[in-house]
Amino acid sequence: MEQAATRPFAPSSDDAREAGTGRLGTHSDGSAVGMPATVADFDPNPRQRSKQNATVRDEQIFVAIPCFRDRECGPTIDDLFAKATNPERVSVGVCWQFDEAEDNGLTRLQTAFRRQVRHRHFHFSESQGANWARAQAQDLWHGEDYVLQVDSHMRFMPGWDEKLINALERCPSPRALLSTLPAAYEPPSRFDPELIHFRSLLHVNVLEHPFHLGGVQLAGGLYQRLTHPGLRRTPFCAAGYVFGSAWQFKDVPIDPHYFFWGDELSLAARLWTHGYDIFQPEETLVMHWWTKPTGAEALYKRQHDPRHKRSLERLKHLLGLPNSADTEALREIERYGLGRQRPLAGFFDFAGIDPASGELQAFAHRGDFESSYALGCKVA
């Protein structure tokens, strides 16, 4: 595949990911939210229900957002409601991490749908990491059919809600979800209008970095939709843009014990071994502000934070490279462990990764995972 070099794209999913944890949820007007539904209370297969009753599209989407002192979060929420075909069927859960005095007005929303936004508030010094914040936001789910997990600096294309549901329904797998690295925008809402003719595809870079297992890091590029049509498989999951049935997020929940790095490789391996298939949407529906955070909002990326080392120990233990004896790094590891539907070795074959050396197959650099999927499925 040839990358469309004329289109802007960020080099790594690490450049714009947020940090943040959970208390009682509230609506944007301060009123408490009701008790969340249990997994047993909702339909685990909304895709099948919608196909059986195609004339009635009442599926609801829950959008989970972690926000660490990010003034783009409010505009992100406003935009997702403004661009939705059915905004009345969209709910949002936000984990706010901020200082009320220094970040005055951060949580202010303009949307008329702000009562559909649920909140958890923390001082930013309480933050325990990006995935802790994601887990807190996910905990505000109230039984909606689908979940979209995004970062706090995003913009949306018109009709993103219906288009994501339609794309998920067309995936040739009963356990499918959608994920990729989104294209770029710049505040307030500037983006290349030609993006409607392009789609993003994941590939892998090898970078020298102390917190990436074997130097593996996700990257992406924009490709012509005409020359690269259809839903494309990938072994990887970009944590800042994941869409699927709510059942998937309950079956394979976000691991809150990854402070920042290592979470995406962990989640991808867990999804594979639980029998899930990841597909990349064939059109640009969501955009991301690819900028490197600076100052206070970048605290969670400081490389000398010991929580990064514990995250790496946790990842190596999960993948057997090697097992760790650090009890702090292995908290709740059974709850957030691998599944039994597929062997881990199949994931490595699918991804083109040699777990011992960290070397990558050429197809992984290109992002050409269609043929390697069959290789991964053959591993007994």
Side-chain angles (χ1 to χ4, degrees), residues 105-120:
L106 182 74
T107 63
R108 187 177 300 122
L109 304 177
Q110 303 298 322
T111 179
F113 297 93
R114 51 186 171 271
R115 278 193 58 82
Q116 293 165 217
V117 182
R118 306 162 197 150
H119 305 259
R120 282 184 176 170

Side-chain angles (χ1 to χ4, degrees), residues 187-238:
S189 294
R190 297 188 300 273
F191 61 91
D192 188 341
E194 290 296 307
L195 284 177
I196 61 174
H197 302 300
F198 287 78
R199 53 95 56 85
S200 55
L201 291 172
L202 286 167
H203 60 271
V204 182
N205 280 344
V206 178
L207 303 176
E208 293 298 328
H209 194 292
F211 304 115
H212 286 81
L213 179 66
V216 176
Q217 188 178 45
L218 296 183
L222 294 178
Y223 299 80
Q224 287 274 2
R225 291 175 60 189
L226 286 176
T227 57
H228 297 79
L231 296 158
R232 299 291 182 100
R233 294 183 186 270
T234 176
F236 299 108
C237 188

Side-chain angles (χ1 to χ4, degrees), residues 258-279:
Y258 284 95
F259 185 64
F260 186 81
W261 284 294
D263 61 325
E264 291 176 325
L265 188 54
S266 167
L267 180 58
R270 292 170 61 216
L271 287 168
W272 169 266
T273 57
H274 279 84
Y276 288 91
D277 294 312
I278 305 171
F279 295 85

Side-chain angles (χ1 to χ4, degrees), residues 142-162:
H142 279 195
E144 292 85 357
D145 303 289
Y146 299 97
V147 172
L148 172 64
Q149 178 174 279
V150 293
D151 287 338
S152 56
H153 30 262
M154 313 290 281
R155 293 295 184 270
F156 299 80
M157 289 294 191
W160 64 268
D161 51 337
E162 281 200 345

